[in-house]
Amino acid sequence: MWLAFAFLSAFLLGFYDVSKKYSLRDNAVIPILFLNTLFCSIIFLPLAFQTPFGGWEVQRYIVLKAFIVLSSWLLGYIGIKHLPITIVGPINATRPVMVLVGALIIFGERLNLWQWAGVVLAILSFFLLSRSGKKEGIDFKHNRWILCTIGASVMGAVSGLYDKYLLASSGGIGLPRLTVLCWFNIYQAIMMGVMMIVLWWPNRKNSTPFRWRWSILLISVFLSMADYAYFYSLSLDGALISVVSMVRRSSVLVSFMLGASLFHEKNLRSKAIDLVLVLLSMVLLWLGQ
């Protein structure tokens, strides 16, 4: 059951990525990220008062969670604004490999042969993607937008491992999933509000102007649904964070198909090979489960 919710989360994340890419085209990053966190906090606010608060002893862990996620989102938004979504998606697919290493070291998780085969295919797809990127003049070693995207993936991996620690009753602190989900969104909105006032507003005339698009609201809607399915998956008995994280990256299949049709991106044939490997890795993980 936990794996089914992980796949549902992945499907919704694909639409989230496309909404994000469309919203950020020739648009300001910080206001969009602020609105995203604001809308998400509004969505979960009614639930926040129906779940245990726990005081500062609990909330300090969630504040740290908000900081980690916000760092990943900020880097990710900057990267996806300047890069093709058919490049960004497969890069994000390497995030579970980082989670896997951390899960093996921290939580002692064990993968079977099918799952290891899936991980190897995901790694291979990343190296093939770097070759595809060179055809578009994107140097993976020196492109700052690529570095932002990789940084977002690293922080996302840290967030995934931290989620396991927060939610696990064995080996973690066993917080209620709704407590974490609701309050970290609220804290993110507060952090982004401060960033809006201090960094963006005084310099808004010297930077990319902000333009409202309805797709900005869709970012929050799809993300909220995806996060709820993700946290519910992790809260179920037997859930492996390394596998859940890998499955969530299959969202790249949705974002690739929609992105290719909406944004008319290049070199789709070579990138499609990378995506086939990602898809095969998801199948192997399913067989392993």
Side-chain angles (χ1 to χ4, degrees):
M1 180 62 73
W2 61 267
L3 195 56
F5 278 97
F7 274 109
L8 174 60
S9 178
F11 179 75
L12 294 168
L13 278 179
F15 286 94
Y16 157 72
D17 284 334
V18 173
S19 300
K20 183 169 58 176
K21 175 65 176 178
Y22 184 81
S23 300
L24 287 166
R25 296 177 72 182
D26 301 317
N27 215 343
V29 172
I30 291 180
I32 293 178
L33 184 51
F34 167 68
L35 289 174
N36 178 19
T37 58
L38 178 63
F39 292 149
C40 286
S41 65
I42 292 173
I43 290 172
F44 288 112
L45 186 60
L47 297 175
F49 299 101
Q50 300 178 28
T51 186
F53 182 76
W56 176 243
E57 290 299 316
V58 168
Q59 293 299 316
R60 60 180 179 175
Y61 294 105
I62 303 177
V63 170
L64 177 57
K65 160 73 177 174
F67 178 79
I68 294 171
V69 174
L70 198 57
S71 299
S72 177
W73 282 5
L74 187 58
L75 290 171
Y77 272 53
I78 293 172
I80 201 172
K81 176 179 178 179
H82 296 280
L83 293 171
I85 195 172
T86 48
I87 289 285
V88 172
I91 290 177
N92 287 334
T94 63
R95 182 181 303 178
V97 178
M98 307 174 199
V99 174
L100 170 67
V101 174
L104 292 174
I105 295 174
I106 299 173
F107 301 113
E109 292 188 0
R110 295 293 181 267
L111 303 183
N112 58 38
L113 184 60
W114 288 108
Q115 292 164 341
W116 273 114
V119 170
V120 171
L121 280 180
I123 296 173
L124 178 61
S125 71
F126 175 76
F127 289 107
L128 292 178
L129 180 69
S130 65
R131 186 181 62 182
S132 300
K134 289 182 179 179
K135 297 179 181 179
E136 299 182 43
I138 301 174
D139 186 347
F140 272 44
K141 295 181 179 179
H142 302 102
N143 187 292
R144 57 180 174 174
W145 313 127
I146 290 289
L147 295 178
C148 283
T149 304
I150 293 175
S153 293
V154 171
M155 294 304 295
V158 172
S159 176
L161 291 168
Y162 192 53
D163 289 339
K164 177 69 174 180
Y165 172 72
L166 291 178
L167 299 177
S169 55
S170 176
I173 56 179
L175 297 182
R177 62 178 182 274
L178 280 180
T179 299
V180 177
L181 183 57
C182 295
W183 286 101
F184 98 79
N185 275 290
I186 293 172
Y187 292 139
Q188 282 187 137
I190 296 172
M191 292 176 185
M192 280 307 306
V194 173
M195 190 177 296
M196 274 276 294
I197 296 171
V198 175
L199 296 180
W200 184 76
W201 186 260
N203 301 298
R204 65 190 184 283
K205 295 182 179 179
N206 301 320
S207 60
T208 305
F210 170 70
R211 300 178 178 87
W212 167 257
R213 293 170 182 157
W214 283 103
S215 56
I216 296 173
L217 179 59
L218 292 179
I219 296 175
S220 301
V221 172
F222 286 124
L223 179 61
S224 297
M225 293 190 295
D227 275 355
Y228 186 87
Y230 164 66
F231 276 90
Y232 186 78
S233 174
L234 281 185
S235 68
L236 297 176
D237 291 338
L240 299 176
I241 181 59
S242 52
V243 176
V244 171
S245 183
M246 178 69 78
V247 168
R248 269 168 60 92
R249 290 305 101 200
S250 64
S251 63
V252 66
L253 300 173
V254 177
S255 61
F256 181 91
M257 290 185 290
L258 292 177
S261 60
L262 290 175
F263 307 123
H264 308 291
E265 297 184 354
K266 302 176 182 178
N267 299 317
L268 297 179
R269 182 174 299 179
S270 61
K271 294 174 185 175
I273 297 175
D274 306 333
L275 289 182
V276 168
L277 293 179
V278 174
L279 178 60
L280 287 175
S281 71
M282 298 305 109
V283 173
L284 290 174
L285 287 173
W286 182 274
L287 291 175
Q289 173 58 22

